[in-house]
Amino acid sequence: MGPDQKEFPIRNHARRYGDIACVASITGAQIMLATRGANAVMIGLLGTAMGVSTLVGSLLANKLVDMVPTGKLIAGALALFVVSQMPLLFLHSYAAILICQILAGLPFPALNAGLLGFLYGKTPDNMQGRASAVFETTVGILGAACPAMVGWLLQQPDLGFTAVMAVAVVCSVAGLAVSLAGPLRSIPNPDQWSVGGFPVTPSSGAPVYIRSYGI
């Protein structure tokens, strides 16, 4: 594996941190409410509410992708997610969790549309499978391990749900920082993605023009 191949999976932190934060938040809330003896239907309603808000977000995502530069859209979606999670550091009531999860579901379609649209839109056909494998594996492994970490934190008397939400907030802030501090923020609208792009070198394991934006 050459240096270019090694660089590609390291540079998708924005989406990776966002996914970890989302999994930690919803899993932690569900387990915490279950230990409190909350009604099973009410616990399931959290997932339903977040799914409905994600559906609403998906209806807006296409227009937002066309109107807002992709880099700013990614940063804005992550910023909204950060704001939606911060109240749960202090408020643990069912109503607070429900409202925050609804808000958390809204930005993810726009985030995925912008980030994944750019990733796959700028990846040559013969590298689509490789890019998908690297991206989904690096994101998925940590996301799969996240529920175990959440369960362990909830078992600790001095930690509990506050610690879970602290992890979610830290991860979401880290993703936002990556989107703002790196070249990711400079990605333009989709109709300008070809402007300033760089060709793929024969020895490269990942598209240079994608790596140049820090994904």
Side-chain angles (χ1 to χ4, degrees), residues 24-133:
S25 175
I26 189 66
T27 304
Q30 291 174 335
I31 297 176
M32 185 267 292
L33 290 172
T35 59
R36 286 184 180 178
N39 186 285
V41 175
M42 300 300 288
I43 296 174
L45 185 61
L46 290 178
T48 301
M50 191 172 188
V52 171
S53 69
T54 301
L55 179 61
V56 173
S58 69
L59 298 177
L60 303 173
N62 285 340
K63 291 184 179 180
L64 289 174
V65 169
D66 291 335
M67 295 171 54
V68 182
T70 301
K72 294 181 179 179
L73 180 63
I74 293 170
L78 288 168
L80 179 57
F81 182 77
V82 171
V83 171
S84 74
Q85 298 303 291
M86 291 187 70
L88 296 182
L89 288 169
F90 314 101
L91 304 174
H92 298 169
S93 67
Y94 180 83
I97 293 172
L98 180 63
I99 293 171
C100 288
Q101 296 302 340
I102 290 174
L103 292 176
L106 289 173
F108 270 95
L111 173 64
N112 289 335
L115 186 58
L116 297 183
F118 179 78
L119 173 66
Y120 293 115
K122 297 292 288 183
T123 302
D125 291 343
N126 64 338
M127 290 187 178
Q128 290 279 344
R130 186 183 305 178
S132 178

Side-chain angles (χ1 to χ4, degrees), residues 7-29:
E7 187 176 358
F8 181 71
I10 297 174
R11 305 301 293 275
N12 55 32
H13 297 308
R15 165 74 186 278
R16 182 188 305 170
Y17 287 133
D19 279 4
I20 294 172
C22 183
V23 172
S25 175
I26 189 66
T27 304

Side-chain angles (χ1 to χ4, degrees), residues 147-203:
M149 176 199 66
V150 168
W152 180 83
L153 288 174
L154 290 173
Q155 287 182 343
Q156 308 309 307
D158 298 329
L159 298 176
F161 187 63
T162 300
V164 172
M165 291 313 305
V167 171
V169 170
V170 168
C171 286
S172 56
V173 169
L176 177 60
V178 169
S179 69
L180 292 174
L184 192 64
R185 70 179 185 276
S186 64
I187 300 177
N189 294 74
D191 58 357
Q192 298 176 333
W193 284 351
S194 60
V195 178
F198 301 97
V200 179
T201 59
S203 61

